[in-house]
Amino acid sequence: MSSTTTGIEWTQATWNPVRGCSRKSPGCFNCYAERVAHRFGGPGKPYEGLTRLVNGKPTFTGTLRTVPESLDAPLRWIEGRRIFVNSMSDLFHERAPFQFIADVFATMSCTTRHTYQVLTKRPEVMLAWHGCQVG
């Protein structure tokens, strides 16, 4: 699920080439993405099987799903914009394949008209991925 518009005030679009997540820190207990993913988690929907109810609250299951068919979305957006990468997940989740992360960055490097915003709670994975790319 990607969107060329968003209600997030500090960005203009979202791009979600990875779906699913798991809690990493106390801040994750207030994760809006768990609620949104649960809403779109029914049979045949994009987040199917990625959340469950725990004590009546939507919670990510820890399952991660890459979405290769979404890799070219920013290529189709002609006008430059600020894009929040994985507003519904963490690109640097422990289960994200390094090659897929590289594919996401390849798309970003081909679309320099956009400004990409990548947030993570897993800087150690980002550092390991970066070391893998440079080393």
Side-chain angles (χ1 to χ4, degrees):
M1 292 177 55
S2 297
S3 174
T4 57
T5 60
T6 178
I8 303 170
E9 63 189 39
W10 45 265
T11 196
Q12 296 170 312
T14 59
W15 176 41
N16 291 287
V18 174
R19 294 181 185 153
C21 205
S22 55
R23 291 181 175 171
K24 176 72 175 169
S25 73
C28 295
F29 286 93
N30 299 309
C31 180
Y32 74 90
E34 286 181 322
R35 293 185 301 276
V36 174
H38 193 70
R39 194 174 60 189
F40 293 100
K45 292 187 177 180
Y47 290 84
E48 180 179 3
L50 300 180
T51 65
R52 67 176 182 274
L53 289 177
V54 176
N55 296 324
K57 294 180 101 175
T59 305
F60 279 118
T61 62
T63 300
L64 205 71
R65 188 178 305 140
T66 59
V67 189
E69 62 272 17
S70 75
L71 285 172
D72 66 346
L75 299 170
R76 294 190 307 269
W77 300 338
I78 303 305
E79 191 173 316
R81 59 193 70 185
R82 282 186 314 277
I83 300 171
F84 181 7
V85 179
N86 276 356
S87 63
M88 296 289 295
S89 184
D90 190 331
L91 181 61
F92 292 100
H93 192 280
E94 300 82 10
R95 294 191 178 109
F98 277 10
Q99 181 56 57
F100 193 78
I101 296 170
D103 294 343
V104 170
F105 272 84
T107 296
M108 290 191 279
S109 71
C110 291
T111 52
T112 57
R113 66 187 169 277
H114 302 310
T115 299
Y116 291 93
Q117 301 165 299
V118 181
L119 305 179
T120 185
K121 289 187 183 291
R122 296 165 170 87
E124 69 284 356
V125 176
M126 181 174 62
L127 185 59
W129 175 80
H130 183 264
C132 178
Q133 298 306 301
V134 215

